[in-house]
Amino acid sequence: MTKRYTIIANWKMNPGTKQEALRLFKNVLKEKALLRKIHIIVCPPFLYISLLSLNKGKNMVSIGAQNISRLAEGPHTGEVSGSMIKSAGATHAIIGHSERRAMGETDEVIGEKMRQAMKSNLYAILAVGESEPGEDAHRILEEELKKALSGILLTDMKRILIAYEPRWAISKGKDDTGANSDTPEHAFEKAIFIRRILANLYNSSIAQKTPVLYGGSVRSKNISVFVNADSPFDGALVGGASLDAREFLELLRRIHIK
Ligand code: PGA
């Protein structure tokens, strides 16, 4: 069976206006043939979710949030709940991105967010990864996965995607060439390790079926290193390169589907 790769476009806190957001989105939608072959999940800032879902038409593209509140509702100024995200038209939410962890989000909070995402019937894109090169990545990954997945039932696992993102390889800027990304040897080994943890926590079928993506300085120049028929990854989480429609479409074109 042909594998359908998943590519997540994490726009982070960009672009500055809804007009620019719509323009970028419409440029991506132009490539209808690619959209049929690759599952693309565009994650704009919260405020643009409704706009993009209203403009997505019949295109096979999903919309995701970049964060979700750990709480369901109530007096929590500035928070955005899973149910709000869902009703704005998103189906996915990124949880535990390293830029949020750097703002103080703990593994426990990430676990609560994962459970909220499940309660709201969203797909969760769980980001995990060590902070510094040379750190004990296995120990960190195991801890992050165990805490984030605590209380996540086996039946919920079909709504979980995992992104391995070594933090030191993330967000080197829009003009980055991809030279800061992880090496395939190092990253592939982590994808296999993540599946081993999933097999221990659940079973081998969950370990195989859960999509595991690579994130961190993915560009059109290096996408084929991480996403190819021999790679253990099922796709990629793309930050900076998703903000330039031409670069992003080139990146998608370089994914060879057999
Ligand atoms: P980057 O971001 O592709 O700009 O490194 C990756 C991410 O959002 O995790």
Side-chain angles (χ1 to χ4, degrees), residues 10 12 97 165 169-172 216-219 237-240:
N10 178 13
K12 309 193 181 189
H97 191 279
E165 299 208 296
I170 295 178
S171 287
K172 301 292 174 188
S217 294
V218 176
R219 303 286 176 263
L237 197 161
V238 182

Side-chain angles (χ1 to χ4, degrees), residues 5 59 180 192 204-205 212 229 243 246 250:
Y5 293 113
N59 287 292
N180 295 301
I192 294 162
S204 58
S205 157
V212 180
L243 293 171
R246 196 185 297 192
E250 182 56 25

Side-chain angles (χ1 to χ4, degrees), residues 84-217:
M84 293 167 188
I85 292 168
K86 181 95 183 169
S87 83
T91 45
H92 292 67
I94 300 175
I95 297 177
H97 191 279
S98 65
E99 286 154 15
R100 299 218 53 88
R101 290 180 191 258
M103 287 178 221
E105 218 167 81
T106 61
D107 284 331
E108 286 69 24
V109 168
I110 290 163
E112 291 181 82
K113 292 185 173 199
M114 293 291 290
R115 296 192 285 279
Q116 278 302 330
M118 294 302 104
K119 279 192 192 141
S120 313
N121 230 351
L122 289 162
Y123 286 81
I125 302 157
L126 170 65
V128 290
E130 76 279 13
S131 306
E132 301 293 337
E135 247 186 319
D136 186 355
H138 283 192
R139 186 187 52 76
I140 292 165
L141 287 174
E142 184 165 0
E143 200 167 301
E144 289 183 346
L145 286 165
K146 276 190 176 157
K147 290 196 173 148
L149 296 174
S150 98
I152 301 296
L153 307 173
L154 191 133
T155 47
D156 286 333
M157 283 305 288
K158 55 183 177 306
R159 284 189 287 121
I160 309 278
L161 296 86
I162 295 178
Y164 169 60
E165 299 208 296
R167 289 180 221 176
W168 43 270
I170 295 178
S171 287
K172 301 292 174 188
K174 195 165 157 226
D175 302 320
D176 172 42
T177 57
N180 295 301
S181 71
D182 200 353
T183 60
E185 298 74 30
H186 183 269
F188 288 5
E189 195 266 325
K190 302 302 170 293
I192 294 162
F193 180 76
I194 288 171
R195 290 192 200 282
R196 202 185 310 150
I197 300 291
L198 294 179
N200 289 342
L201 293 176
Y202 298 95
N203 58 44
S204 58
S205 157
I206 296 286
Q208 266 170 31
K209 286 185 192 147
T210 304
V212 180
L213 316 176
Y214 170 76
S217 294

